[in-house]
Amino acid sequence: MTTPFAKLSFWGVRGSTPTVDPSTWRYGGNTPCLELIAPDGTQFILDCGTGLRMLGNRGALPNAGASGETHIFVTHYHWDHIQGIPFFAPLYAENNEFHFYSFRSKFLGRDSLKQVFEAQMAVPYFPVDMSAMNAKRKFKEVGGGDTFRIGENEITTAWLNHPQGCLGFRIETPAGSVVYATDNEPGDAKLDQSLRELAAGADIFINDAQYTPEQLSSTRKGWGHSSWLDGARVAKEVGAKTLVLFHHDPDSTDRIVDTILKHAREEFDSVFAASEGMVITLGAPGERVEAHMPGSRTALRREAHFRAHVCGVTEGGHAFEEDTVVRDLSLQGALISLKHSPRLQSELQVIMETPGVNGMQRMQLRGYVVRIDGEAEKGQTSVGVVFTD
């Protein structure tokens, strides 16, 4: 029998507002949008932030399931989770069909989700209204604690602690379970328990990590978000297999997210920081979850030939040191051939020797692993590194 596989793609990972400044370039500046392709071909989209435009610009929706339908879960109605809707090209094609799911807001009443979408495209906020969208659209109201099936997949919802309400979603597929719990703040005992029940034993637990523990206990308390520490604690308590830190603060530079990731890995073994273009594959029984980082988020490269000394940690958690040659270099990263296979998103220290007017000069850099490929040469691994220092 063929092992079932599911693919989870990250199209937007930033919280609150999009960012375009260079200091947030590596992790990305689009607001929340994820795509899950289940083993039966069903396409799920989680939230409709600005990342939704990028997903739609990919082209047609070839994986919309046997029925040709796509199912879109909207966690709540704040701008950063809906602002991609008007720019989602597939909504303007009449052969597409979309099913939207979210909750009835006490502030809006019946058909809350439809009202929200219509309002953001109404005069004077947008040049055309929703009548310009030719795709079939259906809206379904769900609430915390609901369970329903779509194809071979079971969906469970739970209320999260966020101003004006928010839903978390658990999608159980034949390849594994994904829990999407963005925009939740710890501190409400009932809703904290709701989150734990939703995330129990999940293969992938995507949790809000917008603030640091220090911010959450002071200036950002009550704003509806969590921290890397709270996410790690929940993941440990409920036996989640992999934690993904999500909803990065717009003021968190790439280096800040790097630091957050480092701290989180000191608390929990399998942690990734969500990055635009990152893809996680589920379905390999007994194996660690793998995350593939985007190869397109690289600067202009030049061929190089520098001798280098590399220090890092292998996939098995063992420290290693190795002499090698850097053969491809940019201002932001490098492609290095290694005999060792380092862990994805682990930190590497690279010391390169470069010729100068006063003889050989040493250049010491730190970075993290974003890509690992096998090479034709036996026993070699091609490792992509993005430099942080």
Side-chain angles (χ1 to χ4, degrees), residues 22-323:
S23 64
T24 61
W25 179 82
R26 280 194 285 112
Y27 285 98
N30 279 300
T31 52
C33 181
L34 280 65
E35 176 193 30
L36 175 66
I37 305 298
D40 65 354
T42 302
Q43 182 188 43
F44 297 97
I45 295 175
L46 302 169
D47 272 331
C48 302
T50 57
L52 185 67
R53 182 183 72 87
M54 305 302 293
L55 191 163
N57 288 349
R58 178 186 61 186
L61 297 173
N63 296 310
S67 63
E69 302 170 355
T70 298
H71 299 268
I72 302 180
F73 299 152
V74 179
T75 58
H76 63 299
Y77 304 128
H78 290 164
W79 281 120
D80 51 329
H81 293 258
I82 64 168
Q83 60 197 155
I85 282 286
F87 305 96
F88 187 46
L91 276 171
Y92 296 85
E94 61 182 1
N95 59 318
N96 294 327
E97 183 171 338
F98 296 92
H99 294 254
F100 292 90
Y101 305 78
S102 197
F103 62 93
R104 180 181 295 194
S105 167
K106 67 179 182 180
F107 303 100
L108 296 173
R110 187 181 177 89
D111 296 326
S112 295
L113 181 58
K114 186 178 180 181
Q115 287 187 58
V116 166
F117 287 175
E118 289 174 343
Q120 73 165 332
M121 295 182 68
V123 175
Y125 307 116
F126 205 72
V128 299
D129 60 28
M130 281 191 73
S131 65
M133 295 180 172
N134 297 318
K136 300 181 184 68
R137 304 181 303 277
K138 296 181 180 179
F139 298 89
K140 180 178 176 61
E141 289 184 348
V142 295
D146 288 353
T147 298
F148 52 97
R149 295 191 68 84
I150 298 175
E152 299 176 359
N153 315 285
E154 183 172 275
I155 293 82
T156 302
T157 63
W159 293 116
L160 303 177
N161 188 24
H162 193 68
Q164 292 98 51
C166 184
L167 283 175
F169 293 93
R170 181 184 182 111
I171 305 176
E172 293 274 0
T173 81
S177 56
V178 175
V179 171
Y180 180 58
T182 185
D183 293 66
N184 68 83
E185 180 172 348
D188 182 297
K190 183 178 179 180
L191 295 178
D192 287 351
Q193 181 59 28
S194 176
L195 173 63
R196 282 165 171 74
E197 291 173 0
L198 189 74
D203 292 290
I204 305 294
F205 173 37
I206 303 159
N207 192 67
D208 187 308
Q210 179 156 348
Y211 299 139
T212 64
E214 294 76 21
Q215 288 175 315
L216 194 54
S217 64
S218 57
T219 57
R220 298 295 186 264
K221 187 175 179 61
W223 289 26
H225 296 286
S226 187
S227 74
W228 62 266
L229 181 57
D230 290 290
R233 285 172 175 169
V234 171
K236 267 199 263 190
E237 289 174 17
V238 304
K241 296 180 179 63
T242 294
L243 171 66
V244 179
L245 307 176
F246 187 71
H247 210 271
H248 308 311
D249 191 85
D251 292 325
S252 289
T253 64
D254 291 326
R255 289 193 179 188
I256 289 174
V257 178
D258 290 336
T259 301
I260 287 171
L261 177 61
K262 182 179 179 181
H263 290 325
R265 285 194 163 150
E266 292 170 354
E267 294 289 329
F268 191 72
D269 181 52
S270 182
V271 185
F272 294 96
S275 174
E276 275 184 37
M278 186 171 82
V279 176
I280 295 178
T281 302
L282 294 102
E287 295 186 11
R288 288 175 59 92
V289 167
E290 291 188 3
H292 305 281
M293 300 301 161
S296 60
R297 302 187 71 80
T298 54
L300 184 64
R301 292 187 175 277
R302 292 289 183 266
E303 291 185 2
H305 193 84
F306 296 129
R307 286 186 294 173
H309 185 75
V310 179
C311 305
V313 179
T314 67
E315 181 64 30
H318 303 292
F320 73 88
E321 295 187 29
E322 181 178 335
D323 291 317

